[in-house]
Amino acid sequence: MTAAVRTTGLTKRYGPVLAVDGLDLDVRAGEVYGFLGPNGAGKTTTLRMLLGLVRPTAGSVSVLGDTGGSWPSPALGRVGALIEGPAFYPFLSGRENLRALARRARVPDGRVAEVLDLVGLAGRAGDRYAAYSLGMKQRLGLAAALLKDPDLLVLDEPTNGLDPVGMADMRRTIRGLAEGGCTVLLSSHLLGEVRQICDRVGIIHRGRLVSQRPIGELGGAGRLSVRADRPDEAAAVLRRMLGPDAVLRAGEDLHLAVDAGMAAAVNRALVTGGVEVSELRWHVPDLEEVFFELTEGSRDVV
Ligand code: ATP
């Protein structure tokens, strides 16, 4: 598959701070790629280097198949980005703001209505920007990034600050854009978010790439946790039921590698086996736990 973005040894040093350290990223054409890491990991700096806003200290960037020889990439005209709160005129409407940007970018005026539709803002396009909710402002920023009908969209924390409904809307919009053929590279510090929206993920920590893989291979997808009055007996019952490898003892808790839908059957088996269950819950690991798994238990990671 063609690469939409490829970086080789990409590095940025700010004085004593090594913000990005030898990054080899590989974003494939047509996918939604999640660039995941905690605050300060180096995500924004990396995206800014891709977009020609920050000069790399070392390494190279190739965008949309350019040869990677020059920085900034000559292909940036085919890239749309939402990287920092875009500046809009507060007293103009969303539509008027986009028209102004379209004129400046020599984009036909008809494209404005198309992008408003794409981001679901057509019904409120006549309202003043100052009256928009945060979610609507983000949508307008996305619409602006889409004006040039880009082949690659780069979004820095696109759901940051949105409420759950706004986040779900934004996720739907991004998936829709990807289905329309646009490659999306987005950064996030939320594992659950990336799981819901991305095809592949690159995890960055302290400027280094810890892992890059399809989202389904990230591990830590979730497990059933059981607390019972007699954990030894409970473990024996469940190992007979599910096989020895599906049951992990962690102190008083038993972690089961099964689907959430197995909860009732697990409960029934334990009660039938004479074990009383005090707690049965579905546990989804957070970013910290996934880091822990990926780095095989180095407590130093997060
Ligand atoms: P966040 O989600 O908090 O924005 P991030 O993963 O995007 O985090 P960056 O903003 O890229 O991380 O920052 C990475 C490191 O580089 C941090 O230690 C940050 O303090 C440092 N840094 C970023 N920009 C500069 C700058 N212009 N001058 C000095 N240090 C910087």
Side-chain angles (χ1 to χ4, degrees):
M1 203 179 279
T2 355
V5 176
R6 181 162 289 153
T7 72
T8 310
L10 190 63
T11 300
K12 180 66 192 180
R13 181 180 281 285
Y14 290 109
V17 177
L18 195 51
V20 175
D21 183 7
L23 217 58
D24 296 334
L25 280 187
D26 162 37
V27 180
R28 299 170 190 170
E31 71 182 357
V32 180
Y33 183 102
F35 191 34
L36 183 67
N39 289 336
K43 304 181 295 296
T44 304
T45 303
T46 301
L47 299 186
R48 291 173 69 87
M49 285 194 281
L50 297 182
L51 294 167
L53 301 170
V54 163
R55 180 181 290 277
T57 309
S60 66
V61 177
S62 162
V63 176
L64 294 170
D66 70 20
T67 52
S70 57
W71 180 95
S73 162
L76 286 181
R78 291 157 58 208
V79 180
L82 180 56
I83 191 156
E84 46 212 8
F88 289 113
Y89 297 109
F91 295 105
L92 293 185
S93 69
R95 184 184 292 110
E96 287 162 342
N97 267 294
L98 289 181
R99 279 193 175 141
L101 288 174
R103 268 196 302 279
R104 221 174 298 155
R106 297 198 168 82
V107 170
D109 199 54
R111 178 71 183 153
V112 168
E114 284 173 17
V115 296
L116 283 167
D117 221 29
L118 278 173
V119 303
L121 209 54
R124 304 290 300 275
D127 295 7
R128 278 188 311 138
Y129 177 76
Y132 279 2
S133 68
L134 195 59
M136 291 161 74
K137 287 178 175 164
Q138 277 295 79
R139 283 169 172 278
L140 191 67
L142 186 56
L146 290 169
L147 275 173
K148 286 186 296 178
D149 195 10
D151 295 321
L152 169 67
L153 200 52
V154 177
L155 309 173
D156 194 16
E157 304 258 4
T159 59
N160 219 9
L162 302 186
D163 63 20
V165 175
M167 286 169 102
D169 279 351
M170 184 57 91
R171 280 199 296 268
R172 251 194 312 276
T173 304
I174 292 171
R175 277 299 341 168
L177 292 168
E179 274 149 33
C182 187
T183 305
V184 181
L185 163 58
L186 63 89
S187 74
S188 176
H189 63 277
L190 302 172
L191 179 62
E193 171 91 345
V194 163
R195 269 193 209 291
Q196 289 183 61
I197 195 175
C198 296
D199 302 305
R200 284 199 318 135
V201 61
I203 299 188
I204 184 176
H205 180 66
R206 293 188 186 147
R208 300 191 69 97
L209 200 63
V210 179
S211 170
Q212 183 168 240
R213 57 181 78 187
I215 197 75
E217 293 173 17
L218 188 58
R223 60 186 177 230
L224 199 58
S225 282
V226 179
R227 186 163 285 193
D229 62 342
R230 288 176 293 139
D232 289 335
E233 279 85 343
V237 168
L238 293 172
R239 287 195 174 112
R240 277 198 298 279
M241 177 189 181
L242 304 168
D245 295 339
V247 182
L248 186 77
R249 176 88 186 261
E252 292 297 289
D253 289 332
L254 300 170
H255 296 317
L256 312 182
V258 296
D259 291 339
M262 287 289 287
V266 162
N267 190 36
R268 224 173 9 250
L270 288 170
V271 172
T272 309
V275 178
E276 207 154 299
V277 178
S278 59
E279 195 178 309
L280 198 58
R281 69 192 161 87
W282 182 246
H283 175 77
V284 180
D286 59 16
L287 183 55
E288 183 165 354
E289 288 168 281
V290 169
F291 268 131
F292 189 71
E293 278 176 28
L294 288 173
T295 52
E296 293 171 297
S298 145
R299 281 264 169 221
D300 185 35
V301 169
V302 173

